[in-house]
Amino acid sequence: MQMSDAEYGRYVEELSPKSKSLKNCFHAFWIGGTICLLGQGLMALFESMQLEKTTAGTLVSISLIALSAILTGLAVYDDIAKVAGAGTLVPITGFANSVVAPAVEFKTEGVILGTCAKMFTIAGPVIVYGVTASIVYGVIYWLSTLL
């Protein structure tokens, strides 16, 4: 079948799905905004418990990372992302999803060769090391304040 460039362009345009940019932007906005609102709500909750602002901020980050990791493990985060698109890329939740998703995907290959190896391969050793190190250092710091 011979086609000119113009005919091919029209053919591709006919078969291509129509863009739903306005709808996609709306969903990204409200779902991303809801994630941010959840973060602000957690911040207010932690500050109402008479915690310092930095401690409250740290707990908000930990809470959002844990929630995102749990939702990814339960395959709920992917369903949210299908509707929200870029709205789920709010940095902290998108980060947690990018670390947990490969680990979950390869869990059938075992803990060491599947989950752990793929988590380091896909998410990047720097990201995983950074989170792990920050947790270890945080626990050490917290223990040192108790003494």
Side-chain angles (χ1 to χ4, degrees):
M1 176 164 156
Q2 292 289 332
M3 282 190 214
S4 68
D5 288 342
E7 290 172 325
Y8 181 73
R10 284 191 297 274
Y11 178 70
V12 168
E13 192 172 315
E14 283 177 26
L15 295 178
S16 297
K18 303 302 175 220
S19 175
K20 300 174 185 172
S21 295
L22 188 60
K23 178 180 150 192
N24 292 341
C25 286
F26 173 75
H27 287 305
F29 178 78
W30 81 264
I31 293 175
T34 302
I35 294 169
C36 293
L37 184 64
L38 174 63
Q40 280 301 125
L42 288 171
M43 186 71 169
L45 173 71
F46 293 135
E47 285 181 335
S48 74
M49 300 166 95
Q50 306 304 319
L51 296 173
E52 293 180 24
K53 190 170 188 148
T54 54
T55 304
T58 302
L59 289 174
V60 168
S61 297
I62 291 169
S63 300
L64 289 175
I65 288 171
L67 181 62
S68 178
I70 291 166
L71 291 177
T72 299
L74 296 173
V76 173
Y77 198 90
D78 291 339
D79 294 337
I80 295 168
K82 285 177 187 170
V83 176
T88 57
L89 294 178
V90 174
I92 203 150
T93 56
F95 157 76
N97 175 260
S98 70
V99 172
V100 175
V104 170
E105 184 178 341
F106 291 97
K107 71 181 177 186
T108 57
E109 294 179 24
V111 173
I112 302 298
L113 296 177
T115 302
C116 294
K118 295 305 177 183
M119 182 169 55
F120 279 100
T121 300
I122 297 173
V126 174
I127 294 173
V128 176
Y129 174 78
V131 170
T132 305
S134 68
I135 292 169
V136 170
Y137 299 149
V139 169
I140 292 170
Y141 175 75
W142 176 69
L143 289 173
S144 72
T145 61
L146 295 177
L147 300 175

